[in-house]
Amino acid sequence: GLKVRVAQATGAERRSGKELTKVGSSGGEMWSRTLLKSLRGARQSSQQSGERSLGTLCIVEAKDGAGGLDSASKATLACAQKHLPKPFVALVASDAKGASEEAAGEIASLAGVETVLHGVSDKEGANGLLAEPLSQVVAALVGKLEPTHVVTGSNTFGKNLLPRVAALLDSAPITDVVQVVDESTFVRPIYAGNALSTVKFVGKGPLLLSVRTTAFGSEALETAQGAGAEVASVGAEEVAAGAAAEALSEWVGEEKSESERPQLDAARVVVSGGRALKSKENFEMLEKVRQVPNQSGRRRCREEKEENTMYPP
């Protein structure tokens, strides 16, 4: 695609001949006692140097009956494992205790993971997926762990959660990331995907990201050598912070259509047709392209269309 570099009307600066958009944070950094004993030494060192102690906080979703991590969660973990500062701590949000523990055990076996946290709510059910209390839990964790980066998937779960976390931390998020250039520079689509914008974060942090499933979902996750990471429950202080916001929303239910086809935001190839196809028969050609997504399949459909005298190719 066409790559463009854009800059805001104010606060733009040129670096090495490239125009980069400034995305900053005006909020002060929060310093407090570290949640995990293994991070205490790093935190003390970071306080003296004025830097954050942990690499990345990775937030993933685990749903009951999903049979493991979904594609968005795997893409989020792959981005954190391959492209973001390490070590990273994973936070599992789930609508069921069993699904949360299963996902936590799966993540703990990955390379680069230091700790996996689960149990964001002390109530059973889907309260663990509600964005209002979960954002308070994440903000409290960021205050204790002091990560440089916070990353989640660019799906419905992430789009609902990340803006709330950004508001609580007073830090501008960078959404729909499709490429990590370096630890503070990222590529994201603009103008409905017709152009790519290179964005550089220059604030104090933490740097908040959501990543596209199609951009990182094909990267294989690396398994750790030896013992897995520690699996622990979220601390009482963080759970209490989330409980204080539970009155803001209530889980009523979820209705979704089941299909054998992949989700649109997770599909590697999308075949679409509109009014120009004109007839039911021509729409059936799209099914053939979907079933045979290669050059021979496209050629065969084109030949069939050429035989139809009503609609020229």
Side-chain angles (χ1 to χ4, degrees):
L2 174 65
K3 291 188 178 181
V4 300
R5 300 186 183 275
V6 298
Q8 293 178 344
T10 60
E13 62 183 13
R14 292 181 179 271
R15 299 192 179 192
S16 302
K18 300 177 181 179
E19 289 186 353
L20 302 173
T21 302
K22 295 183 75 173
V23 180
S25 165
S26 60
E29 296 183 357
M30 296 176 289
W31 303 105
S32 60
R33 181 171 52 87
T34 310
L35 175 65
L36 305 173
K37 293 181 179 180
S38 59
L39 298 176
R40 284 177 179 171
R43 176 185 172 270
Q44 293 172 357
S45 172
S46 68
Q47 282 186 320
Q48 297 173 358
S49 63
E51 298 178 354
R52 292 178 173 270
S53 56
L54 179 68
T56 301
L57 174 62
C58 186
I59 308 169
V60 298
E61 175 189 24
K63 285 192 173 183
D64 188 27
L69 298 172
D70 61 9
S71 56
S73 296
K74 291 179 179 178
T76 304
L77 292 167
C79 179
Q81 188 181 68
K82 304 290 183 62
H83 305 287
L84 298 180
K86 285 172 279 296
F88 69 91
V89 169
L91 173 65
V92 180
S94 178
D95 57 354
K97 183 178 180 181
S100 177
E101 294 176 346
E102 180 183 354
E106 184 178 348
I107 297 171
S109 64
L110 300 178
V113 182
E114 186 165 87
T115 305
V116 184
L117 302 175
H118 66 98
V120 298
S121 175
D122 55 3
K123 295 183 180 180
E124 289 291 335
N127 278 29
L129 294 177
L130 290 175
E132 288 78 12
L134 181 57
S135 60
Q136 296 287 345
V137 173
V138 173
L141 278 175
V142 170
K144 285 195 172 184
L145 299 178
E146 298 170 350
T148 60
H149 294 64
V150 178
V151 61
T152 189
S154 187
N155 55 354
T156 303
F157 169 78
K159 291 177 180 178
N160 197 22
L161 174 67
L162 196 64
R164 291 173 167 82
V165 176
L168 291 171
L169 299 177
D170 196 17
S171 181
I174 302 176
T175 58
D176 295 321
V177 171
V178 296
Q179 180 185 349
V180 179
V181 179
D182 56 43
E183 292 184 0
S184 60
T185 309
F186 308 90
V187 177
R188 62 181 302 273
I190 57 175
Y191 299 116
N194 291 306
L196 297 177
S197 172
T198 300
V199 180
K200 185 177 182 65
F201 185 86
V202 294
K204 293 181 179 179
L207 204 162
L208 308 176
L209 302 172
S210 68
V211 297
R212 285 277 185 96
T213 302
T214 50
F216 300 95
S218 60
E219 299 185 16
L221 292 169
E222 298 179 2
T223 305
Q225 300 295 329
E230 176 189 1
V231 177
S233 297
V234 175
E237 295 179 8
E238 291 71 43
V239 173
E246 287 182 352
L248 298 175
S249 60
E250 179 184 2
W251 183 271
V252 177
E254 181 181 28
E255 297 180 5
K256 64 178 184 178
S257 59
E258 298 292 339
S259 175
E260 61 180 7
R261 301 179 182 179
Q263 295 291 329
L264 181 62
D265 58 357
R268 185 179 63 86
V269 177
V270 177
V271 180
S272 64
R275 199 177 302 174
L277 291 178
K278 297 183 182 297
S279 67
K280 177 182 177 181
E281 290 73 19
N282 284 346
F283 267 99
E284 290 177 353
M285 289 191 294
L286 294 181
E287 285 293 324
K288 298 178 181 179
V289 174
R290 183 184 69 85
Q291 295 169 3
V292 191
N294 52 39
Q295 190 62 36
S296 61
R298 289 191 292 268
R299 187 185 306 112
R300 183 167 63 252
C301 290
R302 185 171 63 251
E303 291 172 353
E304 291 181 5
K305 187 172 183 179
E306 289 174 352
E307 294 175 0
N308 190 335
T309 57
M310 292 182 62
Y311 307 112

